[in-house]
Amino acid sequence: MKMRNLFLISVLTFTLLTSINNAQFRMAVGSEVGFNFNLHTGSDLDEGGSGLGVALSGIVDMSFTSNRAIGLLTGLAFYDNRSGSSSSLFSQDGTNYSVDNDVSIAYFQIISLFKYRIPNVGVYFVFGPQIGFDLSSELEQTYSVVGGQTVQKTKNSLKDTNTRFELKLGGGWDIELSPLITLAPQLTFGLGLTNVIEDVDDRIHTIQLSVTCKFN
């Protein structure tokens, strides 16, 4: 419920800022490609996991002051991959086995970030919530004898996945290539606030490097 309140506050902030002075309002729209480094962690995991993924988004960048210092960065991540892998060992009947766990999970996400841009520099900082809805989620497990052959491989869909709430913060740089086109590299950290699956302590934190091409 607290995360829903954060999202509602962001929407109300946008409405308030829009009503302050429409004459100072500026907007840019564009597409974003992101590269994720995902960290899977939680007390219910035998070992923490990590993995790589990509994110494809549509972005709306709005500013509400004449110097473009105060703004809002919103959008939709149509595909945001938060996959990860981990390995663990166990023994049975005197034989050592390894288990490779590969979690493939992707979200559709709603982005709503407060943006502060240093005037006349182009460097900016963002902070705010993201809400994600499960697009696909699978767990593949491979059992092998240590130093030997694969014994068993299973692949199943994850059940009872949660809506993802994430607190995102970071910064970037608006590079104006022309009066109409801006390129914005950005580095952010997404703190996962909810478990991936109900009643299982397993969260995903993500470091994302992205590039946005915006049309003013």
Side-chain angles (χ1 to χ4, degrees):
M1 182 62 68
K2 291 182 179 180
M3 295 306 102
R4 289 191 177 95
N5 290 338
L6 281 174
F7 180 68
L8 181 59
I9 289 172
S10 297
V11 173
L12 293 175
T13 301
F14 162 68
T15 304
L16 176 63
L17 290 173
T18 303
S19 63
I20 291 175
N21 193 340
N22 288 330
Q24 298 176 349
F25 176 79
R26 297 184 182 184
M27 183 175 70
V29 297
S31 58
E32 179 184 64
V33 177
F35 300 93
N36 299 333
F37 177 64
N38 306 311
L39 301 170
H40 291 238
T41 183
S43 62
D44 289 332
L45 297 180
D46 293 333
E47 290 188 10
S50 62
L52 302 176
V54 296
L56 305 173
S57 310
I59 296 296
V60 179
D61 186 352
M62 294 167 282
S63 60
F64 305 97
T65 57
S66 57
N67 62 359
R68 301 169 63 184
I70 305 298
L72 197 65
L73 198 64
T74 65
L76 298 174
F78 299 103
Y79 180 84
D80 195 337
N81 187 282
R82 302 301 178 94
S83 298
S85 300
S86 63
S87 298
S88 59
L89 300 174
F90 72 96
S91 296
Q92 183 176 341
D93 299 328
T95 303
N96 296 323
Y97 296 91
S98 66
V99 184
D100 295 324
N101 303 296
D102 294 312
V103 178
S104 177
I105 186 165
Y107 294 94
F108 170 85
Q109 300 219 85
I110 300 173
I111 304 166
S112 180
L113 306 175
F114 172 78
K115 178 180 178 181
Y116 175 74
R117 185 177 188 267
I118 300 176
N120 304 319
V121 176
V123 174
Y124 65 85
F125 303 94
V126 291
F127 174 84
Q130 281 195 171
I131 300 177
F133 303 94
D134 179 13
L135 285 176
S136 62
S137 54
E138 290 183 333
L139 171 62
E140 181 178 290
Q141 293 183 303
T142 303
Y143 295 82
S144 305
V145 176
V146 174
Q149 64 182 4
T150 298
V151 175
Q152 183 182 6
K153 181 177 289 188
T154 63
K155 190 173 185 179
N156 299 292
S157 297
L158 295 178
K159 305 295 184 182
D160 301 321
T161 56
N162 285 321
T163 299
R164 176 177 174 81
F165 290 95
E166 174 182 293
L167 192 60
K168 191 170 185 176
L169 68 158
W173 184 21
D174 283 331
I175 305 171
E176 295 186 359
L177 303 180
S178 74
L180 295 179
I181 300 176
T182 298
L183 198 66
Q186 179 177 278
L187 181 65
T188 58
F189 174 73
L191 178 67
L193 301 175
T194 52
N195 293 325
V196 177
I197 302 173
E198 292 181 8
D199 303 322
V200 177
D201 187 8
D202 173 14
R203 302 187 181 189
I204 304 174
H205 310 310
T206 299
I207 299 171
Q208 184 183 81
L209 177 62
S210 64
V211 178
T212 305
C213 183
K214 297 179 288 190
F215 299 90
N216 303 316

